Amino acid sequence: MRGEGDIPTIFNPHRVRAPPNLVVTTENNTSSGSVPNGPFTRPNQPQLQHYDSIHLVSGSQPEGADASPQRPPGNVSRLKKCTNFCCSKSAKKIYCGICVTICVTASWVGTTHCIKYMYYVPSSKSPFANLTTNSTNSKYSVTYNAPFFTTWFITNWLVLFFPIYFIFQSIISKCKQTSDLFTESIQNFRDKGFSFGRFMLRCGLFCTLWIFTKYVYINSLRILFATDVMALFATNVAFVYLLSWVILHKQFVGVRIVAVILCDTGIALLAYMDGINTSPTLNGVILSTLSAFGSAVYKVLFKRVFGEASFGQIGLFFSLIGLMNAAFFWPISLALYFTGTEVLIWEHMPWIPLLIASVLSLVANLLGNFSVAWTYDLFITLGLITAVPVSAALDVVLYGATFMDMKLAGIILISIGFFLVMFPDNWPTYITRLLRWSRRHQGLQANQARAAIDYRTGYIRSHLRSPSGRVR
């Protein structure tokens, strides 16, 4: 039995038909400002207003009404409706979401290209010219080969997560004691049944997974262009859906399975874009795919272990990851340096690109975790795929990259799969609403045109009548 608030879809076509003498209007109630489910929310119920069909056809007026014809709604009412819609709470969140998408795109592209630039500098006399790969222009040579040190250095900046949250909350909550912010964040973890040892063990597990994900991502930049790596990393949304379906028991959506197939096909095309015998390219694609899979595992496990976390919990958690990284993983970086596995020339250290990459990475993580308070999560995720064309333009300018054949096809398939994964669960409902809105809008336009014709007809008749009541 269908409830009163159910929305008819293409799978449930029953609907209540309005009487023929009712005109449906679509005036939204913006005074409440409630936005329950993001930009794809259920529109307000249409209001039903009575208009006598006889009056609409003949142009006559009911008894007791003014003899002068009434002017139909004009541009003033339309402007008012447009203003109310553009200034609603949902519209403001969309505007903020567009800004967040631009910022995430800029920070993600900046971080990746700064790391890429640290590996390749325009110098033909580099002592590490033999490390140059076929995936980049020959005028660039490797002078910096320390992916784990880069990962360790960038991850250390996560320590600033909770201090930034603490300062921001201290400013906006003037009536609340700042000492309660830290206590409240810890108490939230205690309420979920975490002891100190168990919580630190979970943080250590996530810290290891975080470092592994970042390490393989940075290491793949030694082989592939930044655009290829970013496109492959964008497939993590497909892995997140698969893991959420298996582990978190999320709803099965057929279109997302198609998206997963498209992403896998794009990965296969990028793996063999330089030929079957080109092992460096294949290794780079494997590393990038491992990075995307590690990011998906991290997100799903965080949801499984901690559930819905507050901003204070997220800030404290990331700060602990940064502290653990700084305290426990520096011996690994030191061992790699002394064994010659990683090459660091302190006189030629690219400190400026490294610092810029660290700051931009911190900004991207802050936006990815805290900007959901001002906008929808959809706009945050879109920053991953919108960064691909921006990065492609930089690769063409900086490294002379070419995107064609299998490489271009792989990136396009990954992009299509990305957008298909972002489809809402009940996407047929939104398509049905769009078709109904289009039909209703056409009906309203026809009614307004008919009302305008009736108004002009009544106006002409009123001016052509003689004093005796006869038409001149």
Side-chain angles (χ1 to χ4, degrees):
M1 181 176 180
R2 195 161 57 94
E4 182 180 358
D6 290 346
I7 303 174
T9 65
I10 58 177
F11 304 110
N12 189 11
H14 302 288
R15 63 185 179 91
V16 180
R17 296 185 178 274
N21 62 339
L22 296 181
V23 177
V24 183
T25 62
T26 57
E27 183 178 0
N28 295 329
N29 184 14
T30 58
S31 59
S32 61
S34 60
V35 187
N37 295 321
F40 301 104
T41 55
R42 176 182 178 180
N44 295 328
Q45 292 292 337
Q47 299 178 356
L48 302 179
Q49 299 178 356
H50 284 270
Y51 286 92
D52 195 347
S53 58
I54 301 178
H55 300 156
L56 291 176
V57 175
S58 64
S60 60
Q61 300 175 357
E63 297 181 0
D66 191 5
S68 61
Q70 298 294 328
R71 182 179 296 274
N75 296 330
V76 178
S77 60
R78 296 175 184 175
L79 181 62
K80 185 177 180 181
K81 291 180 180 179
C82 182
T83 303
N84 293 335
F85 175 77
C86 295
C87 298
S88 62
K89 185 177 179 180
S90 178
K92 292 179 181 178
K93 296 186 74 173
I94 292 176
Y95 303 149
C96 183
I98 296 174
C99 297
V100 168
T101 301
I102 295 174
C103 293
V104 170
T105 300
S107 58
W108 190 241
V109 172
T111 302
T112 305
H113 276 271
C114 283
I115 297 174
K116 180 70 175 179
Y117 181 78
M118 288 189 296
Y119 286 121
Y120 297 94
V121 295
S123 174
S124 59
K125 299 180 180 180
S126 172
F128 307 104
N130 57 343
L131 295 177
T132 304
T133 62
N134 296 326
S135 300
T136 55
N137 199 302
S138 58
K139 67 179 180 179
Y140 291 91
S141 302
V142 176
T143 59
Y144 177 84
N145 184 24
F148 190 87
F149 173 79
T150 306
T151 304
W152 178 81
F153 186 85
I154 292 177
T155 307
N156 287 337
W157 288 68
L158 294 180
V159 178
L160 300 176
F161 245 83
F162 190 80
I164 292 175
Y165 166 77
F166 184 85
I167 294 172
F168 184 78
Q169 283 294 110
S170 301
I171 295 174
I172 64 175
S173 58
K174 298 180 180 179
C175 60
K176 189 175 182 179
Q177 295 183 359
T178 56
S179 58
D180 296 337
L181 295 175
F182 184 76
T183 305
E184 180 181 356
S185 300
I186 297 178
Q187 187 62 35
N188 291 333
F189 285 113
R190 289 179 178 176
D191 294 340
K192 294 181 179 180
F194 286 100
S195 61
F196 178 77
R198 183 184 176 188
F199 176 70
M200 296 303 292
L201 184 62
R202 297 294 188 277
C203 289
L205 173 64
F206 281 103
C207 181
T208 304
L209 186 58
W210 177 279
I211 292 176
F212 169 78
T213 301
K214 296 299 179 182
Y215 172 74
V216 293
Y217 182 87
I218 294 174
N219 201 11
S220 63
L221 287 172
R222 297 190 308 126
I223 305 171
L224 302 176
F225 285 112
T227 303
D228 303 335
V229 177
M230 297 174 72
L232 289 168
F233 185 80
T235 59
N236 69 344
V237 294
F239 295 130
V240 167
Y241 168 68
L242 287 179
L243 294 175
S244 299
W245 178 39
V246 175
I247 299 177
L248 302 180
H249 306 290
K250 294 293 184 179
Q251 180 181 354
F252 174 81
V253 182
V255 69
R256 294 181 180 174
I257 298 299
V258 177
V260 172
I261 297 174
L262 290 177
C263 290
D264 293 340
T265 306
I267 293 173
L269 291 177
L270 290 177
Y272 298 103
M273 60 183 173
D274 291 336
I276 300 178
N277 297 325
T278 308
S279 58
T281 300
L282 181 60
N283 294 335
V285 172
I286 292 175
L287 291 175
S288 300
T289 307
L290 284 176
S291 176
F293 184 75
S295 176
V297 172
Y298 175 89
K299 293 178 181 179
V300 174
L301 284 184
F302 184 89
K303 188 75 173 180
R304 177 72 175 179
V305 174
F306 296 105
E308 295 294 336
S310 62
F311 291 137
Q313 290 176 301
I314 293 175
L316 180 61
F317 176 77
F318 276 96
S319 293
L320 287 176
I321 286 181
L323 287 174
M324 288 185 173
N325 171 76
F328 299 113
F329 286 91
W330 63 268
I332 299 178
S333 180
L334 198 63
L336 294 175
Y337 170 73
F338 282 112
T339 56
T341 305
E342 292 192 352
V343 178
L344 290 171
I345 303 177
W346 299 104
E347 294 82 3
H348 303 284
M349 277 289 295
W351 289 113
I352 295 179
L354 185 60
L355 291 174
I356 294 176
S358 302
V359 173
L360 291 179
S361 177
L362 177 64
V363 171
N365 288 314
L366 287 172
L367 291 173
N369 290 277
F370 290 155
S371 59
V372 71
W374 304 290
T375 184
Y376 306 113
D377 185 65
L378 173 67
F379 294 99
I380 304 173
T381 312
L382 282 178
L384 293 177
I385 199 63
T386 54
V388 174
V390 179
S391 176
L394 291 177
D395 278 337
V396 172
V397 174
L398 296 178
Y399 306 106
T402 56
F403 297 92
M404 56 187 305
D405 300 334
M406 296 180 67
K407 178 186 290 190
L408 181 60
I411 293 177
I412 291 176
L413 287 178
I414 290 175
S415 301
I416 296 174
F418 183 94
F419 285 109
L420 289 179
V421 171
M422 302 306 297
F423 268 33
D425 296 342
N426 53 343
W427 60 273
T429 302
Y430 298 113
I431 295 179
T432 305
R433 289 177 184 172
L434 180 62
L435 295 176
R436 288 184 178 178
W437 176 86
S438 178
R439 293 176 57 186
R440 187 168 53 202
H441 184 67
Q442 293 177 359
L444 288 175
Q445 287 181 345
N447 291 334
Q448 291 177 358
R450 187 163 54 244
I453 294 174
D454 294 340
Y455 169 78
R456 295 190 186 97
T457 304
Y459 180 82
I460 293 173
R461 288 180 178 178
S462 63
H463 283 73
L464 292 179
R465 290 182 182 277
S466 61
S468 61
R470 296 180 180 178
V471 179
R472 297 176 184 177

